[in-house]
Amino acid sequence: MDLQAISLVRSSFKAIAAVPDGPQTLSRSFYALLFARYPEARDFFPAAMDEQRDRLIAAVEYVIERLEEDSGQILAYLAQLGRDHRKYGIEDAHYVAVGNSLIAAVEQFPSTEPWTDELEQAWRDVLAVVAATMMDAANAESGPPAWGATVIEHLQVRKDVSIIRLQLDEPMTYTAGQFVSVQVPSRPRMWRYLSPANPANDQGVIEFHVRRVSGGWVSPAVVTQTLVGERWVVGSPLGDLGIRYDNGRDILMIGSGTGIAPLRAQILQMSQRGQDRRVHLFFAGRYPCDLYDLGTLWALAEQNPWLTVVPVTEEDQDPWWYTGPSSVAIPGMHRRLTGKVGQVVADFGTWAERDIQLVGSEAMINTTKFRLHAAGTPPENIRHDPSY
Ligand SMILES: Cc1cc2nc3c(=O)[nH]c(=O)nc-3n(C[C@H](O)[C@H](O)[C@H](O)COP(=O)(O)OP(=O)(O)OC[C@H]3O[C@@H](n4cnc5c(N)ncnc54)[C@H](O)[C@@H]3O)c2cc1C
């Protein structure tokens, strides 16, 4: 991709981001133009657009930031996104509509940057590569655009956490550690990312662990209202977490809350395949009761000598309002440690020879990366998806 064009687009977007409320203004203007010029596009979006607007800006920023640094990786991500977008029924013409509306919104933005022919061409060039990568990947895909799935089990393991198992209409091929977008019947067109907690299998059973986010549109409905028999829609797999079988390195995994799901999927897969590299898994939560899946992980550690599971919580006691069973230490298993997980992990050393995966909230990922960097961990060894 043309580096000059990327650089122009980056500084143009940075100028917008530097204006107070700039990205939100750009996003509002983009959707207004898109829906005015291409009214049929409105059907692809939910009635409430606030979250959607934030997602658009986050996605544009994510792509623009990475274009320059590692085009291979971002192009692979865009290809995945193109395959995933087939679930909307999007066609090539829609990419053109989105590109034109975004360029018009940038042009109309009251920015300090003058809008020149060169800048317009740079935006056109960059968006053309983005659209072509997504369209090519979508058009080359022969699998279903999305998978229908029936809920076969709903276990509410905590007031705010549910484990939901579904039977896919046909098995999906995904790499343990990837995530998918999901649409539930009570929240049409409000797709949310969830990470399968089990590896892909011929039976087509997929399991999600969902935490209720207070004030959220979708997760409270999933945790409190999901019924056996209801039909979900699941999009194509995304992300590149997963075991790197090419380098044979030992692995450090750090997951907090339901962030354990994609790590658990990988551990289950390793356990099925049989393997010889060591895996240290730190399972973190605020309270001991947040470690809702510790029993399964300990059972896996008992069967697999290569796996060490270390529970970590910020508080030593469960909160006063928690009325469920207390977690009981199992002889031979690592005792629970107390503290912020990033600090606890960094106190063990640099983990310099490990492939490291982090999954959890933005705050957890940022502080853990900071602690590991400070301890001397090479940053290139650390991988994570967009945060939860
Ligand atoms: C790659 C990826 C994988 C994910 N996998 C899982 C998974 O396996 N299980 C799971 O439970 N969730 C997972 N998530 C999070 C999930 O996609 C939703 O973002 C989450 O369930 C909230 O959706 P909502 O509709 O309830 O909230 P929204 O309506 O989207 O948000 C409502 C408000 O809550 C805030 N908010 C959103 N998420 C959080 C959060 N996590 N903590 C605090 N505030 C928040 C928003 O900023 C907003 O202000 C994943 C996210 C990503 C990016």
Side-chain angles (χ1 to χ4, degrees), residues 51 55 192-193 195 209-211 213 216-219 387-388:
E51 286 298 323
R55 275 164 220 265
R192 293 293 184 267
Y193 292 134
S195 311
H209 296 185
V210 185
R211 186 175 74 84
V213 169
W217 281 98
V218 178
S219 61
S387 49
Y388 275 32

Side-chain angles (χ1 to χ4, degrees), residues 10 36 38 63 83 145 185 218 231 258:
R10 270 187 130 180
Y38 309 94
V63 170
R83 285 190 282 275
V218 178
R231 297 279 295 163
T258 51

Side-chain angles (χ1 to χ4, degrees), residues 3 60 84 152 187 202 221 246 265 285 302 311 321 340 343 374:
L3 290 181
V60 171
D84 178 53
I152 51 174
R187 296 290 181 271
D202 293 343
D246 52 341
E302 275 182 319
W321 44 259
K340 296 258 189 209
Q343 186 61 58

Side-chain angles (χ1 to χ4, degrees), residues 9-53:
V9 167
R10 270 187 130 180
S11 61
S12 158
F13 190 76
K14 269 193 186 152
I16 293 170
V19 174
D21 213 25
Q24 289 70 25
T25 307
L26 176 72
S27 176
R28 274 193 296 274
S29 153
F30 160 73
Y31 282 111
L33 286 161
L34 179 69
F35 297 155
R37 293 177 176 189
Y38 309 94
E40 70 281 6
R42 186 67 185 88
D43 293 343
F44 293 121
F45 296 94
M49 287 291 296
D50 289 6
E51 286 298 323
Q52 190 63 40
R53 289 197 186 100

Side-chain angles (χ1 to χ4, degrees), residues 103-160:
I103 288 169
V106 177
E107 182 184 356
Q108 288 178 13
F109 189 84
S111 139
T112 48
E113 295 266 298
W115 184 254
T116 60
D117 289 349
E118 195 189 11
L119 183 55
E120 177 171 346
Q121 195 53 50
W123 272 98
R124 290 206 179 279
D125 291 348
V126 166
L127 291 179
V129 174
V130 169
T133 310
M134 291 178 70
M135 283 187 295
D136 289 351
N139 294 334
E141 185 61 50
S142 54
W147 281 254
T150 306
V151 174
I152 51 174
E153 203 171 359
H154 176 183
L155 303 167
Q156 198 169 345
V157 290
R158 294 285 182 270
K159 267 189 191 152
D160 61 346

Side-chain angles (χ1 to χ4, degrees), residues 140-354:
E141 185 61 50
S142 54
W147 281 254
T150 306
V151 174
I152 51 174
E153 203 171 359
H154 176 183
L155 303 167
Q156 198 169 345
V157 290
R158 294 285 182 270
K159 267 189 191 152
D160 61 346
V161 178
S162 282
I163 294 180
I164 292 160
R165 293 197 185 101
L166 298 112
Q167 175 69 57
L168 294 162
D169 292 348
E170 55 182 291
M172 177 193 285
T173 306
Y174 59 89
T175 305
Q178 286 192 294
F179 57 96
V180 291
S181 56
V182 166
Q183 180 186 237
V184 301
S186 59
R187 296 290 181 271
R189 284 181 284 171
M190 298 184 116
W191 295 84
R192 293 293 184 267
Y193 292 134
L194 295 177
S195 311
N198 62 331
N201 53 84
D202 293 343
Q203 292 75 37
V205 173
I206 196 163
E207 173 176 320
F208 297 114
H209 296 185
V210 185
R211 186 175 74 84
R212 186 187 68 209
V213 169
S214 297
W217 281 98
V218 178
S219 61
V222 170
V223 171
T224 58
Q225 293 171 24
T226 299
L227 297 172
V228 169
E230 75 181 29
R231 297 279 295 163
W232 289 20
V233 187
V234 182
S236 300
L238 295 155
D240 70 348
L241 275 190
I243 307 302
R244 288 193 168 148
Y245 285 101
D246 52 341
N247 66 20
R249 281 209 199 136
D250 288 339
I251 298 161
L252 168 64
M253 296 175 165
I254 306 168
S256 69
T258 51
I260 200 66
L263 305 176
R264 177 191 195 269
Q266 294 174 62
I267 289 168
L268 282 166
Q269 185 172 66
M270 286 187 270
S271 160
Q272 286 165 0
R273 286 188 179 178
Q275 60 117 34
D276 54 9
R277 61 178 91 182
R278 283 179 302 160
V279 178
H280 264 81
L281 169 68
F282 286 82
F283 182 19
R286 176 153 182 213
Y287 300 109
C289 63
D290 289 333
L291 308 184
Y292 65 92
D293 204 32
L294 195 53
T296 311
L297 297 168
W298 268 341
L300 282 164
E302 275 182 319
Q303 290 156 19
N304 297 290
W306 44 264
L307 175 63
T308 304
V309 175
V310 185
V312 182
T313 55
E314 289 174 32
E315 308 286 341
D316 210 24
Q317 305 287 328
D318 283 325
W320 61 267
W321 44 259
Y322 174 70
T323 52
S326 306
S327 63
V328 182
I330 295 189
M333 293 293 120
H334 204 292
R335 71 189 167 84
R336 181 167 49 78
L337 303 178
T338 311
K340 296 258 189 209
V341 68
Q343 186 61 58
V344 169
V345 175
D347 285 347
F348 277 80
T350 66
W351 304 92
E353 301 306 318
R354 302 270 178 148

